[in-house]
């Protein structure tokens, strides 16, 4: 008799583990009643006490609870598989539920000789419940409609499956690494296995009820993660798969042909079958959220096939085509963001081509704007692969939700390469989502700025500054930045980041290709890329210039923290500054406000006229402050402290507003509110001053 | 002339730029040109220092598709400022961010304010509001207060007592949850805990509750008085903030949440739950049986249990059946759960009056859950009996066609008080609900002296016991209902015996005294 082991990986599911184990208990009871034998293992990876306590209530069905400390789902799954007493293993997470026939169906098919040890079996339906509610009908990887390159943009096969663990001998389970942004281990693993001809299929009439949660609590939805490189995406394998597909005897269905328009009907959609509703009733007793399928109006809920985007296949083939086996030098550029873009891009392509005796292949990823590129010409001159973003997007009709992920594929496939960004929009867009991947998986990531001075509307400068902010927040490997010497000094102070000046040779080359480009003789025709790739020298510690408050104003810091409290002295008169530490005020405001206070004896508090706060999604919101009834405004400031919106608070006062300086923004707003209970404590702005929240971006 | 001056001279004139770009002229030629011709022609030497602080070449050339832009785009000249200074104010306006009409329009900010935005952007490159403006218009918001400070002032003034037991209810209308809240309130008062009811969702209080002289913090009303705004106008998240602020002011020894949506929402919000936990020594939460909707999906406040259990000391259920359901569903530990038997208001059996035809009483909501339609089938099998049905539609999920009802069924209309029902005319009470917890109506009926016919669903056995003789097999068991009613009609001594059992249960298990003792024990343990 075939035996199997069911493995449940748990972490911090809390009470939500109970519905899962209730569900698996029923499936196991049914299998045992049918005469089959199944071992149930729980692998508790850094599990909290509540979760472990829940698991311990199921010792009637759990054979072993094994505590581990991998802090990695892939690793703890691998460990569980090694601990199993049987070769056939079912894999589960700690918050999903499974149809009551999940184990039995496998054993029955096994008994009928219908199970292949080189196939991975998933559930027939993948029904999402909770925050989102829908049903995905699993597609067989050997189905004529399925193309392996769909896996470039979408996750088709989860690890909730049953398989023979010998497959892991050939294809070990990848790990998930949040720090470096490489994860979605089941996605990567399905790429590896499908490339090797391992089939992913499903057990008929079985269901995985998959709990959908917020991104904050869902490992699968961790932002900025991407599936790893896989032989599936190697150019020679891409070609091999295409040839194999063409040679298959099954008739390719219409919408999966090599030439297809988007929006063709997806064959296979249908209403949920009776056995689905039967399981909704059963599993609904374990988890009431599952009963919510019944609330969906009749006809709306359908068993949908996953997206079958054939344009993704073509797009991936285009991205990977012509990439040779050498590591790459990816050059990102937006032509509109650069002056003399044509010459600068060629300058960098040449440097990349010549780097270490052509040890790398240049890849230009470019927002081409109004430029028309000769990819053949650039390939001929520099051996370069060219990806023109607008053309790519238009031609392959890539959709927004997977566009970035798709563009990352050649990069991930060639981890360890060199990245050069010329202040481009496309790099900023990718870096915003995948900065951990860039910073931790490549030989170097370097930004080169060509601006002459700090122009607040320069797109390249703004892109690079935003990338620097993300890089600093990552607190790992840093983005290297080069700028013109004058600008480098300014940016270094304003961004508190080591900005290196252009090497002299680069300066000469840039000048030759820009300012002197129309002269018959130029003296520099290129530069060595090594100058930009060497690790930056240790940055000298440059103390930030001490804050000043205007001419003739002395100050004494009484408290610094979430709320700064300073005594300011001007013309021997003391005033008091209360300011939250994430508030920016224009420099001129301080002396003006002090003067205003000095000249208007009936005024006790000078606040800003306009508050620009930042909400949780990073949006700025301006509000006009009217202080005819100051308590009303301070009350609003107080309330906003509890809404997740960062409100800038800064006031200069004639006297301390309370005995002990407030420690938090809420305390400060509250103190201002109560100070103004006295109607004589008049409040007035001086001029149209802005206070801006500098809270961190989400 | 120094180099910078020469540069600022030739970069202001297209013909000179071209000469320099091609290398035809060098700086010396250009200096000579100024001396020999330019000066005489009225050409000027501009000064970069005259450029305002918010000058932007990128902005200037975005709006000026001229020959200067061509040279700048080719990287030959570094800036357009020299040409703009020569061209005068109209050109300067196009390159100064703060003076640009389009930016003023999309930010709705004055030049003064925009100058500060630029200064901010210079201090924080790429990260200030100006960087965001390029992708979307700047948002202006209203100064909309929640009013937490005036509210807490009002609460401190009006509720300065130390409250030992604070019960959060949605409102005080006519539901079972409110009744449960009332019993906890009365027991806490009996135990000297100085209880307080906080209405967290709506201000409604019916006369029934006013009669009890309750200490009520009507949050919606006090909020409106303190702030001048309506509580119902707040979004849910702000209502939870208001409730949390109120709890922080009250600092209760024990907080007991009973069926308040705002209360559950506050307890399941991470920052708020931490604050509530810090404000209370003990937290109890009550949950009652789930509601099964007509399509078959079911929900209820029990769904919050996984999110809030970490800060709750005890989940208080109203019957053992439901407690066991929840324990099985979430593996709640026995120490964290309790089922309490709620008392009955008064036991006042009504003496039967002489009637022409024996009558059966049905009183509940005319909702799908209560299964009122089945009375028609039962009545058709018992033409010798009359059936009178009292109630009203609440959820509107079922329609009763009174025209199609048998002649022996009559619509008694709505009832708001148990004593408005004709107990003296009836010999039995028929309960047909499909699902329930521990229905209060059954205890009230028993207290007025009618024997009960019911399916054994939910927590009913927690009241009548497992061996009640007149349980029918299931809510749809028409024959079972018929047999029970027939038996009670024909065998009055059997009916009398049932009344004695009901009376004994009420006395032993449903007295206020017993409830106070159970509550005291609960508080001691917790």
């Amino acid at each position: 008799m075939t035996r199997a082991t069911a493995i449940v990986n748990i972490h911090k599911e809390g009470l939500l583990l109970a519905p899962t184990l209730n569900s698996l208990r029923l499936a196991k009871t049914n299998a045992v009643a049918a005469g089959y034998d199944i071992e149930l293992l729980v692998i508790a990876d850094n599990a909290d006490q509540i979760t472990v306590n829940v698991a311990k209530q199921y010792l009637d069905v759990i054979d072993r609870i094994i505590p581990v400390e991998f802090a990695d789902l892939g690793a703890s799954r691998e460990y569980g598989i090694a601990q199993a007493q049987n070769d056939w293993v079912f894999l589960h997470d700690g918050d999903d539920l499974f149809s009551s026939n999940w184990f039995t169906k496998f054993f029955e098919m096994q008994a009928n000789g219908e199970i292949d040890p080189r196939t991975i079996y998933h559930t027939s339906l993948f029904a999402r419940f909770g925050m989102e509610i829908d049903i995905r009908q699993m597609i067989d990887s050997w189905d004529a409609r399925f193309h392996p390159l769909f896996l470039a943009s979408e996750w088709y096969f989860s690890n909730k499956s049953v398989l023979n663990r010998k497959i892991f001998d050939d294809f070990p389970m990848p790990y998930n690494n949040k720090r470096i942004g490489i994860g979605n281990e089941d996605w990567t693993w399905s790429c590896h296995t499908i490339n090797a001809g391992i089939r992913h299929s499903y057990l008929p009439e079985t269901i995985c009820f998959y709990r959908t949660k917020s991104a904050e609590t869902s490992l699968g939805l961790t932002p900025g993660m991407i599936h790893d490189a896989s032989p599936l995406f190697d150019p020679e394998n891409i070609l091999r798969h295409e040839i194999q597909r063409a040679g298959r005897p099954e008739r390719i269905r219409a919408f999966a042909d090599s030439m297809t328009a988007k929006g063709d009907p997806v064959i296979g959609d249908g209403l949920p079958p009776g056995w689905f509703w039967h399981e909704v009733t059963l599993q609904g007793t374990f988890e009431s959220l599952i009963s919510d399928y019944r609330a969906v109006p009749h006809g709306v809920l359908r068993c949908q096939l996953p997206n079958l985007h054939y344009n993704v296949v073509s797009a991936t083939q285009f991205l990977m085509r012509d990439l040779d086996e050498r590591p790459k030098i990816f050059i990102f550029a937006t032509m509109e963001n650069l002056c003399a873009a044509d010459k600068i891009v060629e300058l960098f392509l040449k440097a990349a081509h010549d780097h270490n005796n052509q040890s790398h292949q240049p890849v230009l990823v470019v927002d081409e704007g109004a430029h028309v590129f000769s990819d053949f010409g650039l390939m001929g001159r520099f051996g370069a692969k060219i990806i023109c973003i607008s053309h790519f997007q238009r031609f392959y009709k890539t959709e927004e939700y997977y566009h970035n992920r798709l563009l990352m594929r050649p990069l991930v496939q060639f981890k360890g390469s060199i990245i050069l960004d010329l202040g481009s929009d496309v790099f900023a867009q990718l870096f915003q989502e995948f900065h951990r991947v860039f910073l931790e998986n490549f030989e170097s990531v370097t930004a080169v700025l060509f601006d002459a001075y700090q122009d607040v509307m320069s797109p390249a400068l703004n892109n690079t500054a935003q990338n620097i902010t993300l890089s600093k927040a990552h607190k790992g490997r840093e983005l290297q930045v080069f700028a013109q010497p004058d600008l480098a000094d300014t940016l270094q102070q304003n961004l508190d980041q080591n900005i290196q000046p252009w090497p002299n040779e680069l300066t000469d080359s840039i000048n030759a290709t820009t300012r002197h480009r129309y002269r018959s003789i130029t003296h520099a025709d290129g530069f060595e890329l090594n100058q930009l790739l060497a690790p930056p020298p240790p940055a000298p510690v440059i103390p930030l210039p001490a804050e000043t408050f205007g001419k003739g104003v002395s100050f004494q810091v009484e408290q610094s923290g979430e709320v700064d409290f300073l005594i300011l002295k001007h013309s021997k008169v003391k005033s008091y500054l209360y300011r939250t530490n994430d508030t920016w005020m224009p420099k001129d405001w301080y002396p003006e406000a002090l003067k205003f206070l000095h000249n208007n004896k009936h005024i006790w508090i000078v606040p800003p006229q306009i508050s620009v706060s930042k909400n949780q999604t990073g949006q700025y919101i301006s509000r006009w402050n009217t202080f005819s009834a100051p308590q009303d405004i301070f009350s609003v400031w107080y309330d906003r402290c509890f809404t997740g919106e960062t409100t800038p608070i800064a006031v200069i006062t004639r006297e301390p507003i309370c005995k002990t300086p407030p420690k938090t923004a809420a305390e400060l707003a509250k103190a201002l509110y109560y100070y103004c209970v006295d109607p004589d404590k008049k409040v007035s702005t001086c001029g149209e001053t802005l206070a801006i929240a500098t809270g961190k971006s989400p | 002339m120094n180099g910078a001056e020469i540069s600022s001279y030739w970069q202001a004139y297209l013909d000179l730029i071209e000469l320099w770009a091609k290398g035809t002229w060098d700086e010396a030629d250009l200096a000579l040109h100024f001396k020999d011709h330019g000066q005489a022609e009225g050409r000027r030497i501009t000064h970069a220092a005259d450029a305002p602080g918010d000058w932007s070449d990128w902005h200037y050339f975005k709006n000026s598709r001229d020959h200067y832009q061509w040279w700048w785009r080719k990287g030959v000249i570094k800036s357009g400022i020299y040409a703009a200074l020569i061209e005068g104010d109209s050109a300067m306006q196009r390159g100064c961010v703060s003076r640009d009409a389009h930016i003023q329009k999309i930010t709705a900010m004055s030049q003064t304010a925009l100058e500060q935005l630029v200064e901010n952007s210079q201090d924080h490159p790429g990260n200030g509001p100006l960087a965001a403006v390029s992708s979307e218009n700047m948002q202006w918001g209203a100064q909309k207060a929640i009013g937490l400070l005036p509210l807490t002032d009002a609460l401190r003034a009006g509720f300065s007592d130390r409250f030992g037991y604070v019960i959060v209810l949605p409102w005080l209308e006519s539901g079972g949850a409110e009744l449960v809240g009332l019993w906890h309130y009365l027991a806490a008062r009996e135990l000297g805990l100085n209880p307080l009811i906080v209405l967290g969702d709506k201000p409604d209080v019916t006369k029934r509750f006013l009669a009890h002289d309750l200490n009520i913090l009507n949050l919606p009303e006090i909020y409106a008085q303190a702030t001048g705004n309506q509580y119902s106008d707040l979004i849910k998240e702000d209502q939870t903030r208001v409730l949390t602020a109120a709890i922080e002011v009250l600092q209760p020894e024990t907080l007991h949440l009973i069926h308040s949506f705002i209360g559950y929402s506050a307890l399941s919000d991470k920052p708020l739950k931490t604050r509530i936990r810090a404000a209370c020594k003990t937290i109890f939460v009550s949950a009652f049986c789930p509601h099964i909707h007509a399509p078959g999906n079911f929900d209820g406040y029990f769904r919050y249990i996984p999110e809030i259990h970490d800060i709750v000391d005890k989940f208080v259920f109203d019957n053992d059946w439901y407690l066991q359901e929840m324990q099985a569903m979430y593996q709640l530990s026995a120490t964290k759960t309790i089922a309490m038997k709620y008392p009955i208001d008064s036991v006042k059996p009504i003496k039967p009056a002489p009637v022409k035809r024996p009558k059966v009483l049905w009183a509940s909501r005319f909702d799908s859950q209560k299964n009122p339609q089945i009375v028609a089938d039962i009545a058709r099998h018992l033409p010798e009996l009359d059936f009178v049905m009292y109630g009203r539609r609440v959820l509107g999920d079922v329609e009763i066609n009174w025209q199609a009802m048998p002649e022996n069924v009559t619509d008694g209309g709505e009832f708001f008080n148990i004593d408005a029902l004709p107990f003296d005319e009836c010999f039995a009470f028929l309960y047909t609900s499909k699902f329930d917890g521990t229905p209060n109506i059954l205890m009230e009926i028993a207290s007025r002296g009618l024997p009960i016919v019911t399916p054994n669903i939910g927590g009913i056995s927690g009241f009548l016991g497992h061996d009640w003789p007149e349980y029918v097999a299931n809510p749809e068991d028409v024959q079972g209902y018929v047999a029970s009613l027939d038996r009670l009609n024909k065998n009055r001594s059997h009916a009398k015996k049932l009344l004695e059992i009901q009376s004994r249960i009420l006395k032993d298990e449903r007295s206020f005294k017993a409830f106070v003792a159970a509550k005291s024990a609960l508080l001691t343990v917790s």
Side-chain angles (χ1 to χ4, degrees), chain B residues 112-150:
Chain B
T112 309
L114 283 172
E115 281 167 1
Q116 296 168 65
L117 272 193
V118 171
E119 186 185 336
N120 170 264
S121 215
Q122 286 162 345
D123 285 356
H124 300 284
N127 290 311
L130 196 61
V133 163
S134 58
S135 55
E136 56 190 11
N137 287 4
M138 176 156 258
Q139 276 191 40
W140 278 84
Q143 295 284 15
K144 197 162 181 278
I146 306 173
L148 296 173
L149 286 171

Side-chain angles (χ1 to χ4, degrees), chain A residues 239-521:
Chain A
L239 188 60
R240 178 172 60 82
H241 283 299
E242 205 55 44
I243 292 165
Q244 275 176 359
R245 263 176 70 80
R248 279 166 60 169
E250 305 98 316
R251 191 165 158 259
I252 304 288
R253 299 196 195 182
F255 70 93
D257 277 340
S258 297
M259 282 179 280
T260 177
K262 282 179 73 182
D264 277 359
V266 178
I267 300 164
D269 280 5
L271 296 174
W275 48 268
F276 173 79
W277 293 114
H278 172 69
E279 286 295 334
V280 166
T281 303
L282 281 178
Q283 306 298 328
T285 62
F286 303 137
E287 172 50 84
S288 73
L289 290 168
I290 288 177
S291 76
D292 288 354
Y293 286 106
R294 295 200 184 277
V296 181
H298 180 73
V300 174
L301 189 67
R302 301 179 78 85
C303 300
Q304 292 180 320
L305 279 169
N307 290 320
L308 302 173
H309 284 158
Y310 213 78
N311 55 326
V312 168
V313 174
S314 310
T316 309
Q317 288 170 343
F318 163 76
L319 288 173
M320 306 310 293
R321 197 183 65 199
D322 303 328
L323 294 178
D324 61 30
E325 70 285 356
R326 288 177 297 168
K328 309 289 171 247
I329 297 174
F330 289 95
I331 299 166
F332 289 88
T334 293
M335 301 303 275
E336 284 298 309
N337 293 0
L338 295 166
C339 289
D342 50 346
K343 295 294 170 192
I344 285 174
V345 164
E346 287 193 4
L347 188 68
F348 275 78
L349 281 173
K350 181 173 187 314
H353 172 260
D354 297 345
H355 181 60
N356 286 352
N357 210 11
Q358 301 187 12
S359 60
H360 288 66
Q361 181 185 19
V363 179
L364 176 66
V365 184
V366 60
D367 301 322
E368 64 271 39
H371 288 75
V372 178
F373 281 82
S374 161
D375 53 357
F376 197 71
L378 295 178
M379 186 183 285
R381 289 168 61 198
F382 307 114
K385 157 91 178 173
I386 314 298
I387 299 169
C388 291
I389 294 299
S390 301
H391 175 74
F392 174 78
Q393 216 161 355
R394 274 198 310 273
F395 187 79
Y396 293 106
K397 298 184 178 72
T398 57
E399 291 186 26
E400 203 175 319
Y401 76 94
Y402 62 74
H403 177 74
N404 288 354
R405 185 174 281 275
L406 206 54
L407 281 181
M408 288 296 289
R409 192 45 37 201
L411 289 137
V412 172
Q413 199 67 10
F414 290 93
K415 288 187 301 184
S417 293
I418 291 164
I419 310 280
L420 290 168
D421 173 46
L422 312 183
S424 69
D425 296 344
V426 61
F427 183 75
Q429 183 186 316
L430 295 178
F431 198 76
Q432 178 78 27
E433 187 171 351
F434 296 110
H435 58 276
R436 287 174 289 154
V437 178
F438 279 109
L439 293 170
E440 297 295 340
N441 294 285
F442 292 88
E443 184 182 319
S444 64
V445 188
T446 303
V448 184
L449 268 176
F450 298 93
D451 293 41
Y453 65 99
Q454 188 182 335
D455 183 331
V456 292
M457 303 301 270
S458 159
L461 195 150
N462 282 333
N463 284 337
T464 306
Q466 283 168 18
N467 296 343
I468 289 172
T469 306
L470 286 167
S471 159
K472 282 170 66 180
H474 174 62
K475 297 191 193 318
R477 292 178 62 190
E478 284 187 357
L479 177 70
Q480 289 194 57
V481 185
F482 287 85
Q484 295 207 39
D486 291 348
L487 181 60
D489 284 348
T490 314
L491 288 181
Q492 181 134 340
Q493 285 199 351
N494 290 338
L495 289 164
D496 190 20
Q497 156 94 9
N498 182 16
I499 312 278
Q500 300 176 72
W502 285 354
N504 290 338
E505 196 191 7
L506 177 64
T507 308
D508 292 345
S509 298
I510 296 287
N511 278 334
T513 53
T514 56
R515 304 199 75 209
H516 301 152
R517 67 189 291 180
Y518 294 105
R519 298 185 178 190
S520 52
I521 300 168

Side-chain angles (χ1 to χ4, degrees), chain B residues 303-323:
Chain B
R303 281 188 175 182
Y304 284 86
I305 289 175
E307 288 178 77
I308 66 176
H309 75 101
D310 54 334
I311 60 151
V312 173
D313 295 287
K314 199 79 101 177
F315 288 99
V316 183
F317 302 109
D318 63 344
N319 63 75
D320 285 320
W321 162 79
Y322 193 48
L323 179 145

Side-chain angles (χ1 to χ4, degrees), chain B residues 1-13 16 27 30-31 34 43-49 82 86:
Chain B
M1 285 174 77
N2 61 34
E5 283 175 323
I6 298 165
S7 236
S8 68
Y9 173 62
W10 64 259
Q11 288 192 42
Y13 301 99
L16 301 186
E27 267 70 6
L30 293 162
F34 177 71
R43 291 190 177 188
R44 286 184 286 151
I45 293 180
T46 54
H47 297 284
Y82 306 109
I86 291 288

Side-chain angles (χ1 to χ4, degrees), chain A residues 432-665:
Chain A
Q432 178 78 27
E433 187 171 351
F434 296 110
H435 58 276
R436 287 174 289 154
V437 178
F438 279 109
L439 293 170
E440 297 295 340
N441 294 285
F442 292 88
E443 184 182 319
S444 64
V445 188
T446 303
V448 184
L449 268 176
F450 298 93
D451 293 41
Y453 65 99
Q454 188 182 335
D455 183 331
V456 292
M457 303 301 270
S458 159
L461 195 150
N462 282 333
N463 284 337
T464 306
Q466 283 168 18
N467 296 343
I468 289 172
T469 306
L470 286 167
S471 159
K472 282 170 66 180
H474 174 62
K475 297 191 193 318
R477 292 178 62 190
E478 284 187 357
L479 177 70
Q480 289 194 57
V481 185
F482 287 85
Q484 295 207 39
D486 291 348
L487 181 60
D489 284 348
T490 314
L491 288 181
Q492 181 134 340
Q493 285 199 351
N494 290 338
L495 289 164
D496 190 20
Q497 156 94 9
N498 182 16
I499 312 278
Q500 300 176 72
W502 285 354
N504 290 338
E505 196 191 7
L506 177 64
T507 308
D508 292 345
S509 298
I510 296 287
N511 278 334
T513 53
T514 56
R515 304 199 75 209
H516 301 152
R517 67 189 291 180
Y518 294 105
R519 298 185 178 190
S520 52
I521 300 168
T522 57
H523 300 289
D525 60 353
F527 70 98
E528 290 278 338
L529 206 54
N530 278 331
Q531 297 170 43
L532 298 180
L533 305 180
V541 180
I542 303 170
L544 289 173
E547 188 175 17
T548 55
F549 296 95
K551 201 178 168 189
V553 180
S554 63
F555 66 94
Q556 188 180 325
V557 179
E558 293 289 303
Q559 173 183 291
S560 59
E562 185 180 329
V563 174
D564 297 331
F565 174 53
L566 294 91
I567 298 175
L568 308 180
K569 205 185 271 184
H570 184 243
S571 305
K572 295 184 181 174
V573 178
K574 274 186 185 175
S575 301
Y576 303 86
L577 169 67
Y578 295 90
R579 185 184 60 187
T580 51
N581 68 356
D582 47 13
T583 296
W584 177 91
M585 298 294 298
K587 290 174 190 70
D588 289 347
W589 176 72
Y590 298 99
E592 280 171 20
L594 288 169
K595 198 171 157 190
F596 180 75
L597 207 55
H598 186 68
N599 294 336
N600 294 278
K601 302 294 181 202
H602 65 292
I603 302 297
W604 293 77
I605 298 179
V606 185
Q609 180 75 76
I610 300 170
S611 298
V612 185
S613 52
K614 198 173 187 183
N615 70 13
Q616 281 169 309
T617 60
Q619 271 185 320
Y620 289 94
I621 302 158
S622 304
R623 291 187 180 83
W624 186 269
N625 299 316
T626 306
F627 290 98
S628 51
Q631 275 195 301
D632 290 352
I633 296 294
F634 297 141
S635 170
V636 173
W637 288 3
Y638 177 80
D639 292 344
R640 225 173 277 138
C641 293
F642 299 96
T643 61
E645 188 174 320
T646 309
T647 294
I649 305 181
V651 290
I652 291 179
T653 65
R654 186 176 294 287
E655 63 179 7
I657 55 168
C658 47
K659 281 182 186 168
T660 313
K663 300 280 185 205
T664 65

Side-chain angles (χ1 to χ4, degrees), chain B residues 236 263-273 304 307-308 311:
Chain B
K236 182 197 84 179
Y264 277 102
S265 302
L267 275 192
S268 56
D269 176 273
K270 268 188 188 167
L272 297 187
K273 75 153 80 167
Y304 284 86
E307 288 178 77
I308 66 176
I311 60 151

